[in-house]
């Protein structure tokens, strides 16, 4: 059975038990919410903090209105501060809209003081004197020199029916054990989740577990007869791959079936699943090949009841891609087969540490996909990386080279007028062409457009006159590949390209003004035109051919407004000069 299907089956079973028992939520619950900086990380293009907000909104909307619900967050106010823990909502009657609004304004910043946050939540509910439940949602392990396993054991010892449920969000396999002990020590549930759907399911399962606890009395202890259980699985499995296991019967729903190294100490669990009320499931093989055994382990005392041998063999995978890619460009990659849908294909610097992912994609059930090349040129490698243990199974070299891009546009424009720009080629459709102040920091965008699949576009000049640059900016790393200078002058400033126009700044309605010029072109068709200021360059109200005397009289329009006198090279399609006249 696949891991995703297994989790769905787990949740369906718990939900059916809830319906049968007509359950209600526990009286006192505090959610401990991870707002450490790592929550800005992305899963399939969406940040983990956005996913968590959406999921919590759905959870709270469905929560029993009689619940006394509180909220403690950590890492949301300052960077590198292990005391950054705040009670945002004290346990009390649930006001759903206020709770959701509070969650939505939390912004990840700092560290992960899990132990101190759980302790604070427990104290809020007077855990020594009354039944209390903590729900911890975290995407990382303790980073503040504390031991959450030891703390949870102490809370369980001192508390009156204290329980902590834990959702491990996008954790690595080895990190799960660092959080699962909190749930284990307090009689709670630990559920890993790697994406939005699994986070929804994980919190549903936690809520169901709380409902069951509130209506299911603790059974009277009794001496069970010695259980007889067998466990079985394949003789071989590939490193990192999921494989099916089965057992003859379930003694207790919280018993475990695990894969551990042959001869591992009693109580070792490594990768495991809870038996619940099934007799089959699936596990993932470890990243390292060798001799292992599948164990059926009692929840009580972690005693092994049955074992079956299994050999884990090295997976044979190849990965390929182009020999070269341009910085910031998308390129195709392929691999010979997929071991597990959560495996990754990544591009990393040559010789990067094991486990480095940088830019990557999940293999899912495909054997091909695409990646974006980094912003910096150099030698890199494409890696096939196991989800289990982040072990590299295959590599292929790739050189990332600097692209040759040129960009062109006008040297001078009036403020807030159109700026037509062209560039030699597009590296990535999400690249940008921008107008920024001269010398602006790398990555500054200000006024910009996405290149799409085009090689030309139009921007509007800034409102403030000054010196600017037109830049071609890579989407990856916000690196500037090409730039040219641009001067922005006042909205009414004359623009001259050799004509030397001299025109009055103002004129009366219908008044005749004198226009002079000093230069001209070799064109045989040169004209002086009067146009509205915003008319296209080669349309006009009136026009006269250029005289040898370099002076003409021009009658202004009757209607007040801004007009422009233009010196045009009609045959060459050039504007050699222009000057604004205000008709009053």
């Amino acid at each position: 059975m696949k891991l995703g299907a297994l989790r769905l089956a787990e949740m369906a079973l718990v939900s059916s038990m809830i319906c049968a028992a007509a359950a209600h939520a526990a009286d006192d619950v505090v959610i401990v919410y991870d707002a450490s900086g790592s929550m800005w990380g992305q899963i399939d293009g969406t940040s983990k903090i956005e996913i968590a907000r959406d999921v919590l909104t759905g959870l709270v909307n469905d929560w029993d209105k009689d619940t006394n619900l509180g909220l403690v967050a950590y890492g949301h106010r300052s960077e590198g501060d292990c005391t950054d823990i705040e009670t945002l909502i004290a346990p009390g009657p649930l006001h759903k809209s206020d709770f959701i609004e509070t969650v939505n304004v939390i912004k990840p910043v700092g560290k992960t003081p899990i132990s101190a946050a759980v302790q604070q939540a427990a104290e809020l509910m007077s855990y020594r004197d009354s039944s209390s439940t903590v729900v911890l949602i975290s995407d990382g392990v303790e980073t503040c020199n504390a031991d959450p396993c030891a703390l949870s054991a102490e809370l369980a010892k001192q508390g009156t029916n204290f329980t902590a449920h834990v959702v491990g969000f996008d954790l690595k396999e080895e990190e799960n054990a660092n959080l699962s002990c909190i749930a284990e020590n307090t009689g709670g549930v630990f559920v890993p989740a790697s994406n939005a759907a699994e986070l929804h399911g994980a919190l549903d399962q936690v809520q169901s577990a709380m409902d069951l606890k509130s209506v299911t009395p603790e059974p009277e202890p009794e001496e069970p007869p010695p259980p007889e259980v067998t466990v079985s699985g394949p003789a071989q499995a590939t490193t990192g791959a999921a494989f099916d296991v089965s057992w003859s019967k379930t003694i207790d729903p919280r018993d475990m079936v695990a894969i551990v190294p042959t001869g591992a100490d009693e109580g070792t669990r490594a990768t495991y699943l809870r038996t619940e009320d099934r007799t089959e499931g699936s596990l993932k093989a470890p990243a390292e090949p060798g001799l292992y055994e599948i164990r059926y382990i009692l929840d009580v005392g972690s005693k092994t009841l049955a074992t079956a041998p299994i050999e884990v063999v090295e997976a044979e995978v190849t990965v390929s891609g182009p020999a070269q890619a341009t910085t910031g460009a998308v390129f195709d990659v392929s691999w010979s087969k997929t071991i597990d849908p959560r495996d990754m294909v990544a591009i990393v610097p040559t010789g990067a540490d094991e486990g480095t992912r940088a830019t990557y994609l999940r293999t899912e059930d495909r054997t091909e996909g695409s990646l974006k090349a980094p912003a910096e040129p150099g030698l890199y490698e494409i890696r096939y990386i196991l989800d289990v243990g982040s072990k590299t199974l295959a590599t292929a070299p790739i050189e990332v080279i600097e692209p040759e891009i040129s960009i062109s546009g006008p040297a001078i424009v009036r403020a807030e007028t159109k700026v037509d720009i062209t560039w030699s080629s597009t590296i990535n459709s999400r690249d940008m062409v921008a107008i920024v102040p001269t010398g602006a920091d790398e990555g500054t965008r200000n006024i910009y457009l996405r290149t799409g699949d085009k090689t030309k576009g139009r921007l509007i000049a800034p409102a403030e006159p000054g010196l600017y640059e037109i830049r071609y900016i890579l989407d990856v790393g916000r690196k500037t590949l090409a730039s040219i200078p641009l001067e922005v002058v006042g909205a009414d400033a004359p623009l001259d390209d050799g004509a030397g126009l001299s025109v009055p700044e103002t004129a009366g309605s219908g008044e005749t003004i004198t226009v002079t010029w000093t230069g001209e072109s070799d064109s045989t068709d040169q004209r002086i035109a009067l146009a509205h200021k915003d008319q296209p360059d080669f349309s006009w109200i009136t026009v006269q051919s250029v005289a040898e005397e370099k002076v003409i009289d021009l009658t202004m329009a009757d209607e007040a407004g801004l007009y422009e006198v233009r010196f045009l090279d009609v045959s060459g399609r050039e504007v050699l000069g222009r000057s604004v006249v205000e008709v009053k």
Side-chain angles (χ1 to χ4, degrees), residues 235-529:
Q236 279 191 341
T238 303
T239 53
F243 61 92
D244 293 332
V245 291
S246 62
W247 49 100
S248 57
K249 64 179 179 181
T250 291
I251 307 302
D252 183 88
R254 290 193 55 77
D255 292 346
M256 293 155 280
V257 171
I259 179 171
V260 302
T262 297
D265 292 342
E266 187 78 340
T268 302
R269 291 180 293 183
T271 301
Y272 70 95
L273 60 88
R274 293 286 180 184
T275 58
E276 298 185 339
D277 291 321
R278 303 162 296 159
T279 56
E280 61 182 9
S282 66
L283 292 170
K284 280 188 182 179
E288 296 301 326
L291 297 180
Y292 292 80
E293 57 190 36
I294 304 165
R295 291 181 179 177
Y296 186 106
I297 304 172
L298 276 180
D299 179 54
V300 177
S302 297
K303 181 179 180 180
T304 300
L305 295 187
T307 66
I310 182 172
E311 180 183 6
V312 176
V313 298
E314 189 81 71
E316 295 182 0
V317 178
T318 60
V319 67
S320 61
Q324 283 189 336
T326 303
T327 55
V330 174
F331 62 93
D332 294 331
V333 290
S334 62
W335 50 99
S336 57
K337 64 180 178 181
T338 290
I339 306 300
D340 184 86
R342 297 272 309 159
D343 292 346
M344 293 154 281
V345 171
I347 179 170
V348 302
T350 296
D353 291 341
E354 187 77 339
T356 302
R357 294 185 290 185
T359 301
Y360 71 94
L361 59 88
R362 295 285 182 183
T363 57
E364 297 178 345
D365 293 320
R366 305 165 295 167
T367 56
E368 59 184 20
S370 62
L371 292 170
K372 281 185 183 178
E376 296 301 324
L379 297 180
Y380 292 80
E381 57 191 34
I382 304 165
R383 291 181 178 176
Y384 186 105
I385 304 172
L386 276 182
D387 179 54
V388 176
S390 297
K391 182 180 179 181
T392 300
L393 291 188
T395 65
I398 182 172
E399 180 182 7
V400 176
I401 60 175
E402 191 85 64
E404 295 182 1
I405 293 285
S406 62
I407 191 169
S408 60
I412 183 169
V413 294
R414 290 195 182 111
E416 297 185 303
T417 59
K418 298 171 183 176
V419 184
D420 290 318
I421 306 165
T422 61
W423 50 97
S424 56
S425 62
T426 291
I427 305 301
N428 186 284
S429 60
R430 301 243 344 131
D431 292 347
M432 292 154 280
V433 170
I435 297 176
V436 302
T438 296
D441 291 341
E442 188 79 337
T444 303
R445 294 182 293 182
N446 287 44
I447 300 167
Y448 73 97
L449 58 85
R450 294 285 182 182
T451 58
D453 296 322
K454 304 170 294 183
T455 56
K456 63 181 179 180
R458 174 177 287 171
L459 293 171
I460 301 300
E464 293 297 323
L467 297 179
Y468 293 82
E469 298 175 41
I470 303 173
R471 292 180 178 176
Y472 186 106
I473 303 172
L474 272 183
D475 179 55
V476 176
R478 301 289 193 265
K479 183 178 180 181
T480 300
L481 294 187
S483 69
I484 55 172
L486 172 69
E487 181 181 0
V488 176
V489 298
D492 299 336
L495 294 179
D496 195 272
D497 196 14
L501 271 177
S502 178
V503 181
E505 292 183 0
T506 61
S509 174
E511 179 185 348
T512 299
I513 63 172
T514 299
V515 177
T516 64
W517 60 93
T518 58
E520 57 187 25
S521 70
D522 295 331
S523 171
T524 58
D525 191 356
Q526 300 174 81
R527 306 182 194 182
I528 300 294

Side-chain angles (χ1 to χ4, degrees), residues 33-55:
Y33 188 62
D34 185 349
S36 61
S38 59
M39 286 290 283
W40 284 121
Q42 294 197 350
I43 297 175
D44 299 328
T46 303
S47 69
K48 288 185 276 188
I49 190 68
E50 292 178 87
I51 294 172
R53 286 171 183 162
D54 290 344
V55 172

Side-chain angles (χ1 to χ4, degrees), residues 67 71 120-121 125 154 169 193 221 250 264 267 308 421 430 436 453 514 533 536 543:
T67 301
L71 177 65
Q120 180 165 317
M125 296 179 285
E154 189 65 23
F169 190 26
T250 291
I421 306 165
R430 301 243 344 131
V436 302
D453 296 322
T514 299
K533 184 174 178 292
V543 69

